[in-house]
Amino acid sequence: MASNLERSILTIIEPTIVLDELVIADTESATPDSTTPNTQIKNSKIYNVTPLVRINQYEVNPDNLISFRLSNTGFYPTLKVIFNDIDTSFTARFFPKDGDVAQLYIRSQGDEETFKPIRIDFTIIDVYPIAGSGDKVTRIAVEGRMFVPDLFTERVEYHEGTSWNALLNIAESLTLGYASNVEDTSDTMTWINPNDTVDKYIQDIVANSYFDDDHFFTAYIDPYYYLTFIDVNRLFSQEGEPDITQGFTLNSMDSYDNSEGKVDNFPYFLTNDVKFQGSANYMRKHQMVNETGFITKNNGYKRYAQFWEQGEREFISEFVDPIVDEVEGQVPATKGRLVEGKVEGPLDNQVRFKYLGQQSQNVHDQFMYSVVLNYQNLSEITKMGMVAELDTVNPALLRYTRIFCKVFEYATPVKQQLTASTEDDAEPPANAVKRDPATNEEADGGIVNEFLTGFYVINGIDWIQIMPGPMKMKVYLQRRVFKPTS
């Protein structure tokens, strides 16, 4: 079982990227240099409730903002903002041209030395009207992707060493930071970019990265400009206590006029317990996700990596059986239905095959095999999970970290179903675990949903605002095993 430290994402180098200057008018200091007299509510604090979006010096006024989404679910962050161009000044004077950027600033709640503000420049990839026609257009949508110099430049280059070190060197050349939860990999070779974009070069290196068969990897650029390289498997543990971090307990409105809310040695968790309503740990809504049938149809339960090994002059065919946790009292949700304690159906027959070509002596020994190892496992973990919506932004939440979620049920019909087998003679499923009656009343009339409660991995985060409400957060969670209860 990986420890808290082993799961932690540690900074290796800091980003050195230089962004366009973004200045906010001084309306607070009441000094001779300030533009207006001192105000009771600090203007700078507005931006932890609503984002500052500026395009060619055109600032999207919160009164004109319709919706905002900053998404950190793919390889790099993306932006979509919709606003009313009431006086047509955006269209007439500030409409973006090639090379212009959308500037974003989200003030961190609490102490900015602990929780960094988000400051990103976006390459604008699309601008289009949402409503109106001709000279009557008033509602505009702007979409963008994080601007990283040379990320989409085609280059011929090479890096010698492991994939971990190659990514470190590439991050440095892009003026990005570098962070990882692994110290190194076991895949030494010369990593060559044959005039592909740097973006594709990074993706190819990650796809072929290898440590051993019990590890698989992914990478992404986070909202703070760190290229982050993750050993995903070490995060999927249902054992131990919730990790202890520097937490954040207040919502955005509570921290509007102060910088409190940081708590040291705070459990890393989310819950829908009504006692936490109004805090940054409260789940306003949660919804299970099940894509098992779709993914199994495409990938099977196993996949064979097939290739011609030039050095040994032989055909290699090795299967990858995606990793699953073996936890007492819990069952895998990704390996098919259990009947009498055994997996039913075509688990051993529903397989896929991938021929990868020839493996030369110029690459590491697991170069071809690692493609299927990483792909199959990364697909497998998306089969089951949960999407949680928070009422506010929780700056302590980070992508690809393990978090404990405690879910309660308050509706009477659901509570009756969850406790039925402890109160009547209904026959429980063969693989069910005896429910602990002590958990039946824990949260102001709610009972613990033992199936949904447990450790999850944060796979992605969205910052969302739909006016006139404040900025909120949507968290995408993944899990491989669940506790079936009687």
Side-chain angles (χ1 to χ4, degrees):
M1 180 182 68
S3 67
N4 188 0
L5 179 60
E6 290 173 323
R7 289 189 294 265
S8 298
I9 301 172
L10 303 179
T11 298
I12 311 303
I13 60 172
E14 298 285 350
T16 58
I17 188 168
V18 178
L19 304 180
D20 287 1
E21 185 178 65
L22 181 60
V23 178
I24 302 173
D26 177 11
T27 61
E28 303 170 10
S29 65
T31 65
D33 294 328
S34 62
T35 57
T36 62
N38 191 27
T39 56
Q40 183 177 1
I41 300 176
K42 295 182 178 180
N43 185 52
S44 62
K45 300 273 179 107
I46 293 175
Y47 300 117
N48 65 2
V49 181
T50 190
L52 169 60
V53 179
R54 188 176 293 171
I55 305 169
N56 285 345
Q57 301 305 311
Y58 177 89
E59 189 169 314
V60 178
N61 191 307
D63 292 336
N64 297 332
L65 181 65
I66 303 298
S67 66
F68 163 86
R69 179 186 291 263
L70 168 64
S71 183
N72 184 28
T73 57
F75 178 60
Y76 43 73
T78 59
L79 170 74
K80 182 175 182 179
V81 59
I82 300 174
F83 58 93
N84 287 324
D85 184 18
I86 302 257
D87 59 1
T88 71
S89 62
F90 175 78
T91 305
R93 295 181 54 201
F94 301 103
F95 197 84
K97 302 172 290 300
D98 184 28
D100 291 339
V101 298
Q103 298 174 284
L104 171 67
Y105 172 74
I106 300 176
R107 182 186 180 275
S108 174
Q109 301 178 43
D111 180 5
E112 292 196 357
E113 293 184 2
T114 302
F115 303 110
K116 295 180 179 180
I118 292 176
R119 171 68 184 91
I120 307 174
D121 282 350
F122 290 90
T123 297
I124 296 172
I125 59 175
D126 204 358
V127 181
Y128 52 93
I130 297 294
S133 61
D135 60 357
K136 301 295 185 181
V137 173
T138 58
R139 187 164 293 182
I140 301 291
V142 177
E143 297 184 19
R145 63 167 182 258
M146 174 184 270
F147 170 70
V148 178
D150 292 325
L151 183 62
F152 296 98
T153 300
E154 294 181 346
R155 299 198 305 208
V156 176
E157 60 181 316
Y158 71 92
H159 297 279
E160 296 180 346
T162 63
S163 59
W164 190 95
N165 279 289
L167 294 171
L168 169 62
N169 293 332
I170 294 169
E172 192 169 17
S173 71
L174 293 174
T175 66
L176 296 173
Y178 187 59
S180 181
N181 68 343
V182 62
E183 294 181 354
D184 208 346
T185 49
S186 302
D187 48 15
T188 300
M189 58 173 279
T190 301
W191 302 87
I192 299 174
N193 181 5
N195 215 28
D196 284 327
T197 65
V198 179
D199 170 59
K200 186 176 185 303
Y201 184 37
I202 292 173
Q203 306 280 7
D204 289 345
I205 291 174
V206 175
N208 293 100
S209 58
Y210 182 83
F211 184 76
D212 62 32
D213 286 5
D214 293 326
H215 300 261
F216 57 97
F217 298 93
T218 190
Y220 62 95
I221 302 173
D222 74 7
Y224 309 100
Y225 284 93
Y226 290 87
L227 176 60
T228 308
F229 183 55
I230 297 294
D231 173 4
V232 182
N233 190 51
R234 64 173 57 190
L235 303 174
F236 282 91
S237 170
Q238 290 296 317
E239 300 177 352
E241 298 296 321
D243 295 341
I244 301 299
T245 67
Q246 286 184 315
F248 192 84
T249 57
L250 299 182
N251 64 36
S252 57
M253 299 307 295
D254 292 332
S255 61
Y256 185 80
D257 57 356
N258 67 75
S259 59
E260 300 299 322
K262 185 185 74 170
V263 180
D264 292 329
N265 300 320
F266 192 73
Y268 195 53
F269 79 105
L270 295 173
T271 184
N272 68 335
D273 185 343
V274 294
K275 293 193 296 292
F276 286 87
Q277 195 166 5
S279 78
N281 299 90
Y282 179 72
M283 295 189 295
R284 179 178 64 87
K285 183 190 300 185
H286 62 277
Q287 177 65 52
M288 286 297 297
V289 175
N290 183 339
E291 298 184 354
T292 54
F294 174 78
I295 293 172
T296 300
K297 173 181 174 292
N298 290 334
N299 294 345
Y301 286 104
K302 300 177 183 178
R303 188 186 294 270
Y304 280 80
Q306 299 182 320
F307 54 94
W308 177 258
E309 170 59 63
Q310 289 184 351
E312 301 295 331
R313 300 189 61 81
E314 63 175 331
F315 177 72
I316 303 295
S317 181
E318 300 176 310
F319 72 84
V320 171
D321 187 1
I323 303 166
V324 68
D325 310 293
E326 294 183 4
V327 182
E328 184 177 357
Q330 302 198 24
V331 295
T334 60
K335 294 293 187 180
R337 186 169 63 171
L338 292 179
V339 177
E340 296 181 354
K342 296 182 180 179
V343 176
E344 175 196 47
L347 178 61
D348 292 324
N349 298 324
Q350 194 167 331
V351 298
R352 299 290 183 265
F353 299 85
K354 179 65 176 179
Y355 181 70
L356 300 163
Q358 299 186 44
Q359 178 169 295
S360 72
Q361 295 176 287
N362 297 324
V363 298
H364 67 83
D365 292 342
Q366 305 299 331
F367 186 81
M368 293 296 190
Y369 175 77
S370 60
V371 173
V372 175
L373 177 68
N374 289 317
Y375 175 82
Q376 199 77 355
N377 278 287
L378 289 171
S379 297
E380 191 83 354
I381 61 176
T382 63
K383 281 185 173 181
M384 291 283 291
M386 184 167 67
V387 178
E389 296 184 17
L390 312 185
D391 275 334
T392 186
V393 171
N394 185 336
L397 299 186
L398 297 175
R399 192 176 175 190
Y400 281 106
T401 52
R402 189 187 78 149
I403 190 166
F404 186 76
C405 296
K406 192 162 190 176
V407 179
F408 291 87
E409 300 293 350
Y410 293 93
T412 298
V414 180
K415 291 164 60 177
Q416 290 174 343
Q417 289 293 323
L418 290 178
T419 60
S421 62
T422 64
E423 298 170 355
D424 58 28
D425 296 327
E427 186 70 22
N431 61 335
V433 176
K434 185 71 173 178
R435 181 179 178 86
D436 182 3
T439 65
N440 285 352
E441 295 292 340
E442 284 197 6
D444 295 334
I447 64 172
V448 176
N449 185 323
E450 293 183 332
F451 179 75
L452 297 183
T453 294
F455 289 102
Y456 291 78
V457 174
I458 299 176
N459 176 51
I461 300 174
D462 285 344
W463 289 255
I464 298 172
Q465 184 167 20
I466 299 176
M467 298 300 282
M471 192 158 29
K472 302 179 180 181
M473 184 175 275
K474 180 179 285 189
V475 185
Y476 301 88
L477 304 160
Q478 297 173 333
R479 190 174 173 186
R480 292 190 298 210
V481 297
F482 292 82
K483 181 179 181 180
T485 56
S486 59

